C-alpha cells in the first residue's frame, strides 16, 4: 500500500515538471529562481529600513534620558547653618576645584559628573566638620591647651639654649644645626614617645605625615561610600595635604613672615629710639648690624644730596647726626663680634663702670632688689639675720591690723575680747622669739644678749605691741648695713651688678666720634646737636658782663608713636659786653625740666628750699588752661634760676644751666638716674611693699575679718618664718605629681598645684614662668608677682574676668569672626579670585632689617611696670628669647604641628588621636634611641 502511494507522488510530481517545461520552456526555472531572489532582497531591504528607524528613535530617546540625568542638579549650598560663613566658604571650594582639579581634568573629559561628585563630597565633609565644631567647648582649648602648647615649646627651646651655652666650643654654641639637634633631644626627653624632628626637617616625611593625617580626617568626615571610593579619596587627600595644609604651614613657619606679622600686629605701639639702640647693642648677629649700617649709609647719602637752606638745614643736620650715631654703634658692635672679644656687659660694668649706689633701706623694701640681696645673704651664711628682719616686719604689720580691727569693733559697739587678741599677739611674738632668738633657735640670730634678755622679760610681763621687736630689729639692720660681710661687700659682688641691670640702672659707655671722613661730626647725642653751643660759657669761665635771658615763648602738643606730650619752646637771649646779641630757640618737655631740677638740687642742696618746680599732673595734663598755667609757672622758675643773685651765690651752677639751655637734645645724664630712683621708691613700691603683701591678709569684711584673722593668729608665728624661709630657696614653683623632673614634663602637668581656678591668673603665671624663666628665681619674687597679678585682675575686672574671657572666646568663635577668618584665607590665597603666585624670597638685607624692626617693636611694647615687677634685664632676655625661638623655621613647623594636634584632639575627643600621633611620629630614630636608653637604665 505504501509503495503504491509513493509511486503516485513521484508520478504526479514528474508530470507537473514535464508540463511546466513544455508550457514555459527549458529556461523558465532560472527565471523563477531569479524572481524569488529579487523578492527576498527587496523584502530584506524594507525590513532593515524599518528596523533602523525604530532603533534610532529608541536610542535617541535613551540618550536624551541620559543627558537629562547628567545635567547639574541643584546642590544644597548650606554648609554650616550660617549664610555669612557659607558664602565665602563656597567661593573657596569653587576656587580650589578650579585651580587644582578642573585645569587638568578638562583635558581628559568634558563630563562634569566627577567634578560634581567631588564637590558634593567636600561639602559633606565640611558639614560634618561644622557639626562637630559646634559640639565642642573651645574655652579650655584657647585658655589652657593653646597656652600650654606654646609654653611647653618655649620650655624645650630654653633647655636647648642652656645646653648649648654649657658647651666650650663657641662655634657649636652659635651653629643653628646644633641648636636644632639639642632642641629635639630635649623634646624626646619630655615627650618620651614622640619626636617631630623627621617631620619638621624632611620635606618628604612631612608630606607623608600630612597625607596620613588627611586620610584619617577623611575617614572621620566622609560617608563610608565616598571614603571607599579610592579615586575620590586620593584626590581629596592630595588637595588637602599639598594644596592647603602644606602651603599654610610653609607660610606660618617662615621667620620673615612672622617678623612682618609682628610689626603689623603692633604697628600702633610706641617704638622708641632707646629700644632701637638697645637692640643694636645686644644683638649677636653681624648680618643685622650690617643691614642697618647699609641703610644708614643710604640715608646719609640722600640727606647730603639735598639742597636746602634756612631752618631746613638745621633739621637735616640733626638727622645726619642721629644717623652717624647709629652708624658708630653698628661699627663698634660689629668690630667686637668679629674680633671675638665680646664680653659680658655685666662683667664690663662691674670692672670698669661706676656703679650706682642704692641704699640698703631701699633694697629691703623692693622686690627685685630684695631677691638679689637674699641670694647674697644666703651665700654668705647670713640668711637668718635677713629672715628675722623680714619676719619682724611681717609681725608688725599683722599686729597693727589686729589692733586696728579691735579698736574699730569697740567703737562700733561690737563685742571683741581684747584679751583674746592680746593672747594671740603674745603667741605670735613668742613664736618669733623662739624661732630666731632663743637658745634652741637654729640658726640663731646673734645680737646683744642684754637686748634679748630685755625682750624676753617684756614678753613675759607686758602685753606685746607691734613695736616690741624694734630695738633688736634696728640692731639687726645696723649689722647688715655695717658688717663688711653683708651690705658693704654686696655692693662689690656680681649679684649687685645684676641687680642694677634688672633695675635698669647700669650706666653704659657712651659712643663718641669726631670725624666721619666728610668733615661732619657728632657729639654722641642720639638726636644730634646744631652747632650753636657756647663753648666759652659751658666751660664755666663766664664773663660777668654777659647777660642771659630765657623764657617760654610757645607751648604745643606733640605726638610720638601714639604718645602725646607737651613741648615748650624756649627762647634764649644772650647779650655780651660789646653789645652783641645772640638769640636761639630750643625745645624741652616737662620731663626735661624735672630731670634738670633733680640734678641741680642734688648737686646744690641749698637750692632745694628756694627753687620750686611746678608739680606733675597725671590726668588732664594736656588741657589748654593747665598748659598755660604750667607755662607761667615754668617761666617764673626760669626767672628765679637766672637771677643774677642766684648765679652769684652758686657760680658752679652756670655749666648746668647752659647745658640745659643749649640748642640740642637734652642729655638727662645724672638726671636719668635720679628719675629712675624716683620711680624706684615711688607708689609702685608702696603698692607692692614686699613684707606687708606677703604676710597680711585683708579681711573680706570687718565682721568676718575679726574671726578669720583671730583663728589664723595661732599659726601665724610658725607661718611667718617658715614661709619666708621656704620662699628663698630656688625650687620649682609648680611641683609635678609624679617623680619626673618638672623640667622634663609638659607645663600643663603642673597646673593643678599652681594656683586657684582663676583662668586669667593661671594663664598669665604660666606664660610669665616660661617667657621670663621665673622658676629659676627665688619664690619670694614669684609670690609677689602672683599677688600683684591678683590685685590687678580684681582692680580691673573683679570677679567678672572669667566671664569676660568666656565672652571673648565666644566672640572668637562667633559666625562673624569665623566668616572673617575664611575671607582672610580666601583673599590671601586667591586675591581678586586669582590663585596667588609664590612670592619671591626677599633679599637678605631686607630680611635682616625686618628682624631688627620686629625686635625693636617687641621690646618697645614692654611696659615699664613689668620691668619694675620682674626686672629690666629679665624682661629683655625673656622677650628676646621668644623672638629668637621664632627665627628657626623647623621649630616653627614643629609648633604648627603641635597646634594642629591640639586642635584635632579637641575636635575629636572620642577618638584616640594621641595614640595615632605616637604612631605617626614613630619613624624618628631619636625615639628608638631614647627607648633603648630607658630600657638599659631599667635593667641596671
Amino acid at each position: 500500500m505504501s509503495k503504491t502511494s509513493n509511486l503516485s507522488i513521484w508520478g504526479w510530481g514528474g508530470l507537473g515538471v514535464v508540463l511546466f517545461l513544455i508550457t514555459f520552456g527549458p529556461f523558465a526555472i532560472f527565471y523563477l529562481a531569479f524572481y524569488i531572489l529579487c523578492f527576498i532582497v527587496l523584502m530584506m531591504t524594507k525590513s532593515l529600513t524599518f528596523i533602523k528607524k525604530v532603533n534610532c528613535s529608541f536610542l535617541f530617546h535613551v540618550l536624551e534620558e541620559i543627558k537629562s540625568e547628567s545635567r547639574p542638579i541643584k546642590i544644597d549650598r548650606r554648609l554650616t547653618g550660617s549664610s555669612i560663613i557659607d558664602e565665602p566658604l563656597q567661593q573657596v571650594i569653587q576656587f580650589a576645584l578650579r585651580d587644582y582639579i578642573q585645569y587638568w581634568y578638562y583635558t581628559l573629559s568634558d563630563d562634569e559628573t566627577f567634578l560634581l561628585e567631588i564637590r558634593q563630597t567636600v561639602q559633606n565633609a565640611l558639614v560634618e566638620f561644622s557639626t562637630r565644631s559646634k559640639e565642642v567647648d573651645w574655652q579650655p582649648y584657647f585658655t589652657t591647651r593653646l597656652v600650654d602648647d606654646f609654653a611647653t615649646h618655649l620650655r624645650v627651646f630654653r633647655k636647648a639654649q642652656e645646653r648649648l651655652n654649657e658647651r666650650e666650643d663657641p662655634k657649636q654654641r652659635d651653629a643653628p644645626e646644633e641648636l636644632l639637634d639639642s632642641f629635639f633631644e630635649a623634646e624626646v626627653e619630655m615627650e618620651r614617645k614622640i619626636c617631630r624632628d623627621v617631620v619638621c626637617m624632611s620635606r618628604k616625611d612631612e608630606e607623608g605625615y600630612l597625607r596620613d593625617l588627611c586620610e584619617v580626617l577623611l575617614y572621620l568626615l566622609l560617608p563610608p561610600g565616598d571614603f571607599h571610593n579610592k579615586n575620590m579619596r586620593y584626590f581629596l587627600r592630595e588637595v588637602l595635604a599639598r594644596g592647603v595644609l602644606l602651603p599654610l604651614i610653609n607660610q606660618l613657619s617662615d621667620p620673615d613672615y612672622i617678623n612682618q606679622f609682628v610689626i603689623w600686629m603692633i604697628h600702633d605701639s610706641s617704638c622708641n629710639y632707646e629700644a632701637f639702640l638697645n637692640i643694636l647693642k645686644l644683638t649677636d648677629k653681624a648680618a643685622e648690624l650690617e643691614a642697618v649700617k647699609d641703610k644708614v649709609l643710604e640715608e646719609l647719602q640722600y640727606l647730603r644730596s639735598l639742597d636746602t637752606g634756612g631752618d631746613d638745614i638745621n633739621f637735616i643736620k640733626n638727622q645726619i647726626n642721629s644717623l652717624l650715631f647709629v652708624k658708630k654703634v653698628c661699627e663698634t658692635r660689629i668690630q667686637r663680634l668679629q674680633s671675638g672679644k665680646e664680653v659680658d656687659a655685666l662683667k664690663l660694668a662691674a670692672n670698669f663702670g661706676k656703679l650706682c649706689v642704692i641704699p640698703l633701706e631701699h633694697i629691703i623694701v623692693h622686690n627685685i632688689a630684695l631677691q638679689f640681696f637674699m641670694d647674697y645673704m644666703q651665700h654668705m651664711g647670713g640668711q637668718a639675720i635677713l629672715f628675722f628682719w623680714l619676719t619682724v616686719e611681717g609681725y608688725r604689720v599683722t599686729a597693727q591690723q589686729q589692733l586696728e580691727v579691735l579698736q574699730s569693733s569697740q567703737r562700733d559697739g561690737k563685742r571683741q575680747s581684747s584679751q583674746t587678741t592680746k593672747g594671740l599677739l603674745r603667741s605670735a611674738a613668742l613664736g618669733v622669739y623662739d624661732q630666731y632668738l632663743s637658745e634652741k633657735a637654729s640658726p640663731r640670730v646673734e645680737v646683744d644678749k642684754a637686748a634679748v634678755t630685755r625682750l624676753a622679760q617684756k614678753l613675759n610681763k607686758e602685753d606685746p605691741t607691734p613695736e616690741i621687736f624694734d630695738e633688736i630689729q634696728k640692731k639687726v639692720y645696723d649689722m647688715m648695713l655695717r658688717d663688711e660681710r653683708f651690705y658693704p661687700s654686696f655692693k662689690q659682688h656680681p649679684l649687685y651688678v645684676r641687680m642694677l641691670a634688672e633695675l635698669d640702672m647700669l650706666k653704659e659707655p657712651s659712643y663718641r666720634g669726631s670725624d666721619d671722613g666728610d668733615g661732619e661730626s657728632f657729639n654722641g647725642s642720639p638726636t644730634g646737636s646744631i652747632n650753636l653751643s657756647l663753648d666759652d660759657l659751658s666751660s664755666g669761665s663766664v664773663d660777668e658782663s654777659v647777660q642771659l635771658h630765657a623764657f617760654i615763648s610757645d607751648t604745643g602738643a606733640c605726638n610720638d608713636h601714639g604718645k602725646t606730650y607737651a613741648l615748650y619752646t624756649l627762647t634764649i637771649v644772650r647779650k655780651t659786653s660789646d653789645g652783641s646779641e645772640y638769640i636761639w630757640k630750643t625745645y624741652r618737655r616737662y620731663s626735661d625740666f624735672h630731670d634738670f631740677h633733680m640734678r641741680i638740687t642734688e648737686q646744690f642742696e641749698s637750692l632745694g628750699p628756694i627753687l620750686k618746680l611746678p608739680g606733675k599732673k597725671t590726668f588732664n595734663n594736656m588741657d589748654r588752661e593747665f598748659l598755660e598755667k604750667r607755662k607761667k609757672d615754668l617761666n617764673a622758675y626760669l626767672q628765679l634760676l637766672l637771677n643774677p643773685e642766684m648765679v652769684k651765690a652758686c657760680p658752679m651752677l652756670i655749666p648746668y644751666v647752659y647745658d640745659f639751655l643749649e640748642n640740642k637734645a637734652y642729655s638727662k645724664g645724672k638726671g636719668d638716674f635720679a628719675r629712675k630712683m624716683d620711680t624706684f621708691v615711688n607708689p609702685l613700691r608702696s603698692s607692692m611693699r614686699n613684707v606687708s603683701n606677703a604676710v597680711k591678709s585683708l579681711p573680706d569684711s570687718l565682721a568676718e575679718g575679726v574671726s578669720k584673722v583671730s583663728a589664723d593668729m595661732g599659726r601665724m608665728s610658725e607661718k611667718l618664718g617658715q614661709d619666708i624661709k621656704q620662699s628663698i630657696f630656688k625650687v620649682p614653683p609648680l611641683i609635678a605629681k609624679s617623680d619626673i623632673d618638672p623640667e622634663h614634663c609638659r607645663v600643663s602637668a603642673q597646673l593643678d598645684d599652681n594656683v586657684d581656678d582663676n583662668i586669667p591668673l593661671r594663664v598669665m603665671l604660666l606664660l610669665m614662668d616660661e617667657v621670663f624663666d621665673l622658676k629659676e628665681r627665688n619664690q619670694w619674687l614669684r609670690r609677689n608677682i602672683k599677688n600683684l597679678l591678683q590685685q590687678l585682675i580684681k582692680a580691673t575686672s573683679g570677679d567678672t574676668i572669667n566671664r569676660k574671657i568666656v565672652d571673648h572666646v565666644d566672640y572668637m568663635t562667633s559666625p562673624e569672626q569665623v566668616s572673617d577668618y575664611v575671607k582672610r584665607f580666601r583673599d590671601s590665597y586667591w586675591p581678586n579670585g586669582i590663585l596667588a603666585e609664590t612670592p619671591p624670597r626677599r633679599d637678605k638685607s631686607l630680611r635682616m632689617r625686618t628682624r631688627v624692626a620686629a625686635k625693636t617693636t617687641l621690646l618697645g611694647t614692654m611696659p615699664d611696670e613689668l620691668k619694675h615687677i620682674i626686672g629690666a634685664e629679665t624682661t629683655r632676655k625673656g622677650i628676646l628669647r621668644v623672638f629668637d625661638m621664632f627665627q628657626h623655621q623647623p621649630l616653627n613647623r614643629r609648633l604648627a604641628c603641635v597646634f594642629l594636634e591640639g586642635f584635632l584632639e579637641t575636635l575629636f575627643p572620642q577618638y584616640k588621636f594621641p595614640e595615632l600621633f605616637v604612631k605617626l611620629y614613630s619613624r624618628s630614630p631619636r625615639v628608638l634611641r631614647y627607648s633603648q636608653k630607658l630600657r638599659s637604665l631599667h635593667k641596671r
Side-chain angles (χ1 to χ4, degrees):
M1 184 68 183
S2 59
K3 292 181 179 180
T4 305
S5 47
N6 289 335
L7 289 174
S8 62
I9 292 172
W10 284 103
W12 286 104
L15 179 62
V17 170
V18 171
L19 293 175
F20 178 81
L21 293 175
I22 294 173
T23 303
F24 298 101
F27 296 100
I29 191 170
F30 296 105
Y31 292 117
L32 178 63
F34 175 74
Y35 293 148
I36 293 173
L37 180 62
C38 289
F39 174 78
I40 293 173
V41 171
L42 180 63
M43 293 301 297
M44 290 181 64
T45 302
K46 291 183 178 181
S47 298
L48 288 175
T49 303
F50 175 77
I51 292 174
K52 185 176 180 181
K53 289 182 179 180
V54 173
N55 287 342
C56 286
S57 176
F58 176 76
L59 290 174
F60 179 77
H61 179 69
V62 171
L63 290 175
E64 284 295 324
E65 290 184 355
I66 294 176
K67 289 182 179 180
S68 63
E69 292 179 357
S70 64
R71 288 173 183 171
I73 61 177
K74 186 177 181 180
I75 300 178
D76 189 356
R77 301 178 65 85
R78 292 176 298 178
L79 300 174
T80 64
S82 175
S83 59
I84 59 176
I85 300 177
D86 293 346
E87 182 179 353
L89 202 55
Q90 287 288 353
Q91 292 179 342
V92 170
I93 297 174
Q94 180 63 37
F95 292 155
L97 293 176
R98 181 194 66 190
D99 295 325
Y100 291 109
I101 297 178
Q102 290 180 3
Y103 81 96
W104 59 262
Y105 177 77
Y106 281 137
T107 62
L108 303 177
S109 173
D110 294 332
D111 187 7
E112 296 186 355
T113 305
F114 178 72
L115 300 177
L116 180 67
E117 293 294 334
I118 287 185
R119 188 184 187 100
Q120 188 65 47
T121 302
V122 171
Q123 293 195 170
N124 291 337
L126 290 175
V127 170
E128 180 66 21
F129 179 84
S130 174
T131 303
R132 290 183 179 271
S133 299
K134 295 176 182 177
E135 298 172 353
V136 174
D137 180 13
W138 291 105
Q139 178 189 335
Y141 174 74
F142 284 108
T143 59
T144 303
R145 177 61 189 265
L146 197 66
V147 180
D148 171 50
D149 288 338
F150 178 81
T152 304
H153 183 81
L154 183 59
R155 170 180 289 184
V156 178
F157 180 76
R158 175 173 53 80
K159 290 179 65 66
Q161 282 188 322
E162 291 172 355
R163 292 182 180 182
L164 285 184
N165 292 333
E166 294 173 357
R167 300 185 182 181
E168 298 180 356
D169 189 357
K171 294 183 178 179
Q172 289 186 350
R173 291 199 298 264
D174 298 335
E177 298 80 9
E178 295 294 333
L179 176 63
L180 296 178
D181 184 71
S182 180
F183 179 91
F184 288 111
E185 288 292 340
E187 182 194 30
V188 74
E189 291 176 3
M190 181 188 67
E191 300 279 2
R192 295 198 164 199
K193 297 181 179 180
I194 288 180
C195 186
R196 302 169 180 84
D197 55 344
V198 174
V199 172
C200 298
M201 301 177 68
S202 170
R203 178 65 178 268
K204 181 179 178 181
D205 289 294
E206 183 182 28
E207 291 181 355
Y209 165 79
L210 292 177
R211 287 193 185 98
D212 294 340
L213 191 60
C214 290
E215 192 148 355
V216 173
L217 291 177
L218 293 175
Y219 172 78
L220 297 176
L221 297 175
L222 293 180
D226 292 337
F227 178 79
H228 292 300
N229 186 336
K230 291 186 178 181
N231 293 333
M232 186 83 66
R233 185 171 80 241
Y234 291 160
F235 275 125
L236 292 179
R237 184 191 69 182
E238 291 300 314
V239 170
L240 186 60
R242 301 191 61 182
V244 178
L245 291 181
L246 189 60
L248 186 63
I249 293 176
N250 288 338
Q251 185 175 25
L252 296 180
S253 64
D254 183 14
D256 188 49
Y257 173 80
I258 295 175
N259 295 337
Q260 295 179 65
F261 184 76
V262 167
I263 296 173
W264 175 80
M265 280 289 293
I266 49 182
H267 65 279
D268 292 332
S269 301
S270 173
C271 181
N272 54 53
Y273 199 89
E274 181 182 0
F276 175 64
L277 290 180
N278 281 335
I279 291 301
L280 295 182
K281 295 172 185 177
L282 293 173
T283 183
D284 56 353
K285 305 294 183 184
E288 295 179 3
L289 297 168
E290 290 287 355
V292 174
K293 179 185 172 183
D294 292 342
K295 188 64 177 179
V296 167
L297 294 176
E298 180 182 334
E299 291 294 324
L300 283 172
Q301 184 177 3
Y302 169 75
L303 290 175
R304 290 165 179 165
S305 65
L306 295 178
D307 184 13
T308 57
D311 294 337
D312 291 339
I313 191 64
N314 297 330
F315 175 75
I316 292 176
K317 284 186 177 180
N318 275 337
Q319 288 187 311
I320 289 177
N321 280 336
S322 298
L323 293 172
L324 289 174
F325 179 79
V326 174
K327 175 175 172 289
K328 185 66 176 180
V329 172
C330 293
E331 291 175 343
T332 304
R333 184 66 178 164
I334 291 172
Q335 185 177 2
R336 287 183 182 178
L337 292 175
Q338 292 178 345
S339 64
K341 297 180 180 180
E342 179 65 15
V343 295
D344 191 341
L346 299 179
K347 295 179 181 179
L348 186 65
N351 294 329
F352 304 104
K354 184 179 179 182
L355 302 179
C356 302
V357 177
I358 300 180
L360 179 62
E361 60 180 305
H362 292 158
I363 291 177
I364 58 179
V365 296
H366 192 280
N367 288 280
I368 297 175
L370 177 60
Q371 66 132 358
F372 286 98
F373 190 57
M374 279 181 170
D375 291 342
Y376 175 78
M377 292 296 285
Q378 182 183 357
H379 174 70
M380 299 301 295
Q383 63 268 31
I385 301 173
L386 181 59
F387 291 166
F388 172 77
W389 190 94
L390 295 171
T391 305
V392 169
E393 191 71 13
Y395 166 82
R396 177 188 294 105
V397 173
T398 307
Q400 288 174 350
Q401 286 184 343
Q402 286 300 294
L403 293 178
E404 290 173 1
V405 170
L406 177 62
Q407 294 173 2
S408 177
S409 299
Q410 291 175 349
R411 284 195 304 267
D412 295 340
K414 297 180 180 180
R415 293 185 178 181
Q416 173 69 23
S417 175
S418 61
Q419 294 300 322
T420 302
T421 301
K422 292 177 180 179
L424 292 172
L425 289 177
R426 184 186 302 278
S427 176
L430 286 174
V432 176
Y433 176 84
D434 292 339
Q435 191 169 357
Y436 292 102
L437 301 174
S438 66
E439 295 292 338
K440 62 180 181 180
S442 177
R444 185 184 181 191
V445 177
E446 299 294 337
V447 292
D448 185 11
K449 293 184 178 180
V452 175
T453 302
R454 288 194 295 272
L455 174 64
Q457 293 174 353
K458 288 182 180 180
L459 290 174
N460 291 328
K461 298 179 180 180
E462 301 177 8
D463 291 333
T465 63
E467 299 80 17
I468 194 170
F469 291 101
D470 281 5
E471 180 185 1
I472 297 181
Q473 188 185 27
K474 186 177 184 303
K475 292 181 180 294
V476 168
Y477 177 83
D478 291 339
M479 184 189 304
M480 291 189 295
L481 180 64
R482 294 182 171 83
D483 194 321
E484 286 296 328
R485 295 174 299 164
F486 304 137
Y487 176 68
S489 297
F490 175 62
K491 292 187 293 183
Q492 308 299 324
H493 197 272
L495 283 173
Y496 184 80
V497 182
R498 294 192 176 276
M499 180 191 73
L500 293 179
E502 293 292 358
L503 299 174
D504 206 15
M505 291 183 180
L506 274 183
K507 295 182 178 180
E508 299 181 1
S510 59
Y511 295 85
R512 298 188 178 274
S514 58
D515 196 357
D516 187 48
D518 300 335
E520 294 171 303
S521 63
F522 67 102
N523 62 355
S525 171
T527 55
S529 171
I530 302 174
N531 193 19
L532 294 176
S533 61
L534 309 176
D535 296 333
D536 56 335
L537 298 178
S538 61
S539 64
S541 57
V542 183
D543 187 350
E544 293 184 1
S545 61
V546 176
Q547 297 180 357
L548 191 69
H549 302 280
F551 60 93
I552 298 177
S553 57
D554 193 16
T555 304
C558 292
N559 188 286
D560 183 15
H561 298 286
K563 291 185 176 181
T564 304
Y565 56 87
L567 194 65
Y568 300 94
T569 304
L570 275 69
T571 300
I572 299 94
V573 181
R574 175 204 176 202
K575 296 181 180 179
T576 61
S577 56
D578 60 359
S580 302
E581 185 176 89
Y582 299 91
I583 302 176
W584 70 91
K585 292 184 179 182
T586 190
Y587 302 90
R588 294 290 180 260
R589 298 176 56 178
Y590 175 80
S591 61
D592 298 332
F593 278 95
H594 185 264
D595 287 326
F596 168 73
H597 178 76
M598 295 184 69
R599 178 191 295 187
I600 61 174
T601 52
E602 185 177 330
Q603 291 291 331
F604 311 100
E605 296 181 0
S606 59
L607 295 179
I610 302 173
L611 284 174
K612 297 297 183 182
L613 187 70
K616 293 183 177 180
K617 185 178 181 182
T618 305
F619 302 103
N620 297 326
N621 54 10
M622 295 302 297
D623 182 71
R624 189 65 190 174
E625 294 182 1
F626 171 76
L627 292 179
E628 287 298 327
K629 183 179 182 301
R630 176 174 279 181
K631 172 185 173 182
K632 180 180 178 181
D633 294 339
L634 290 176
N635 272 326
Y637 177 85
L638 289 173
Q639 297 309 313
L640 181 59
L641 180 68
L642 298 177
N643 188 288
E645 297 299 326
M646 179 77 72
V647 175
K648 190 177 296 184
C650 298
M652 296 305 297
L653 177 64
I654 297 174
Y656 293 91
V657 173
Y658 281 119
D659 179 68
F660 180 70
L661 297 179
E662 190 177 359
N663 188 6
K664 67 173 185 179
Y666 178 61
S667 177
K668 292 183 173 65
K670 181 63 176 177
D672 189 39
F673 169 71
R675 175 175 53 83
K676 292 176 181 177
M677 281 299 296
D678 185 46
T679 305
F680 179 58
V681 295
N682 253 351
L684 179 62
R685 174 197 62 197
S686 60
S687 67
M688 288 184 58
R689 192 170 181 86
N690 49 12
V691 178
S692 301
N693 283 344
V695 299
K696 69 182 178 182
S697 175
L698 293 177
D700 300 329
S701 65
L702 185 61
E704 296 175 354
V706 174
S707 59
K708 176 180 177 182
V709 178
S710 298
D712 292 340
M713 281 291 289
R715 300 185 296 272
M716 188 192 70
S717 60
E718 178 183 358
K719 187 178 188 306
L720 286 175
Q722 293 300 326
D723 280 357
I724 295 176
K725 277 189 175 183
Q726 293 174 3
S727 67
I728 184 65
F729 298 107
K730 294 181 178 179
V731 296
L734 310 174
I735 306 302
K737 296 181 179 180
S738 63
D739 296 332
I740 304 173
D741 183 359
E743 285 291 296
H744 290 155
C745 64
R746 293 181 64 87
V747 176
S748 60
Q750 307 158 24
L751 278 177
D752 292 339
D753 297 326
N754 187 4
V755 290
D756 54 18
D757 292 333
N758 191 296
I759 295 175
L761 181 61
R762 183 171 70 230
V763 171
M764 280 190 279
L765 281 177
L766 183 69
L767 284 176
M768 292 184 71
D769 271 348
E770 295 305 323
V771 172
F772 302 109
D773 197 14
L774 298 181
K775 294 180 296 300
E776 296 301 320
R777 313 286 288 274
N778 66 51
Q779 299 311 295
W780 183 270
L781 176 66
R782 292 198 72 258
R783 180 174 300 178
N784 283 280
I785 291 173
K786 173 187 171 182
N787 291 338
L788 179 65
L789 290 174
Q790 287 175 325
Q791 293 173 13
L792 290 176
I793 291 171
K794 290 180 180 178
T796 54
S797 302
D799 297 332
T800 64
I801 187 68
N802 283 340
R803 181 68 258 171
K804 288 187 176 181
I805 287 189
V806 173
D807 292 342
H808 186 67
V809 172
D810 291 340
Y811 170 74
M812 292 174 60
T813 56
S814 65
E816 293 78 9
Q817 286 300 109
V818 174
S819 173
D820 185 63
Y821 304 150
V822 176
K823 290 178 181 178
R824 290 178 181 272
F825 176 81
R826 177 199 62 192
D827 296 339
S828 175
Y829 275 78
W830 291 279
N832 299 321
I834 301 175
L835 183 64
E837 297 181 358
T838 303
R841 186 173 176 81
R842 304 197 308 166
D843 64 272
K844 183 178 180 181
S845 178
L846 185 57
R847 285 185 280 117
M848 291 298 105
R849 290 200 299 273
T850 305
R851 281 173 57 119
V852 174
K855 282 195 286 187
T856 303
T857 306
L858 279 175
L859 200 60
T861 56
M862 289 299 102
D864 291 337
E865 289 77 11
L866 182 62
K867 298 177 183 178
H868 295 315
I869 296 172
I870 64 176
E873 186 69 15
T874 299
T875 302
R876 280 193 290 266
K877 287 183 178 179
I879 295 303
L880 294 179
R881 180 187 295 116
V882 174
F883 177 83
D884 291 338
M885 181 184 70
F886 285 115
Q887 304 311 306
H888 303 275
Q889 189 163 12
L891 303 188
N892 296 338
R893 303 183 90 87
R894 187 259 179 195
L895 186 60
C897 290
V898 170
F899 285 161
L900 181 60
E901 294 164 16
F903 177 80
L904 293 178
E905 290 177 17
T906 305
L907 187 64
F908 302 99
Q910 68 273 33
Y911 298 104
K912 299 180 180 180
F913 264 96
E915 290 81 354
L916 173 64
F917 290 127
V918 170
K919 293 180 180 179
L920 292 178
Y921 292 120
S922 61
R923 305 185 186 98
S924 173
R926 280 190 172 88
V927 175
L928 299 177
R929 290 198 301 266
Y930 187 74
S931 300
Q932 294 173 358
K933 179 181 177 181
L934 288 180
R935 284 195 295 269
S936 62
L937 290 176
H938 286 310
K939 290 180 181 179
R940 296 178 184 176

